[in-house]
Amino acid sequence: EKLTTEQFEEQQREELLIDKAKNVVRQSAALTPSEIEELTKTNPANLDQERENRTLQKRDKTVHAYALALKQKTDVVINENLF
């Protein structure tokens, strides 16, 4: 189906808002001091890489959990492939 200019612009605005919301939620996730301490004990040789990997994993889980919480609280449909 061909989009009108207005539909295309609305779709772009929605996608930008979704991206902004995901980035705010994603950036709010960080490793706790105890998680960093655990990494230091278990893998000191690759601490920087392991810390980055764990942070990325935690951020992805945070975005997913936020999307699920929104879905449960509201009567909106969340297109999960956008997350």
Side-chain angles (χ1 to χ4, degrees), residues 2-56:
K2 192 172 183 176
L3 296 176
T4 65
T5 302
E6 291 80 17
Q7 289 171 323
F8 174 77
E9 288 174 353
E10 180 62 27
Q11 184 179 14
Q12 292 297 308
R13 276 191 290 278
E14 287 178 14
E15 288 178 18
L16 285 171
L17 286 173
I18 290 168
D19 287 344
K20 285 181 181 182
K22 286 192 319 186
N23 284 331
V24 167
V25 172
R26 184 175 285 116
Q27 293 303 316
S28 70
L31 296 180
T32 64
S34 62
E35 290 170 321
I36 294 169
E37 183 179 338
E38 177 188 333
L39 286 177
T40 304
K41 290 178 182 176
T42 58
N43 200 355
N46 296 320
L47 183 60
D48 290 338
Q49 184 64 45
E50 195 61 32
R51 186 176 182 168
E52 185 177 331
N53 289 341
R54 291 273 182 99
T55 300
L56 291 173

Side-chain angles (χ1 to χ4, degrees), residues 52-75:
E52 185 177 331
N53 289 341
R54 291 273 182 99
T55 300
L56 291 173
Q57 289 172 356
K58 190 170 188 175
R59 287 178 174 175
D60 287 343
K61 287 180 183 180
T62 301
V63 170
H64 186 70
Y66 181 73
L68 290 177
L70 278 179
K71 190 187 291 187
Q72 291 173 354
K73 287 185 175 183
T74 60
D75 292 333

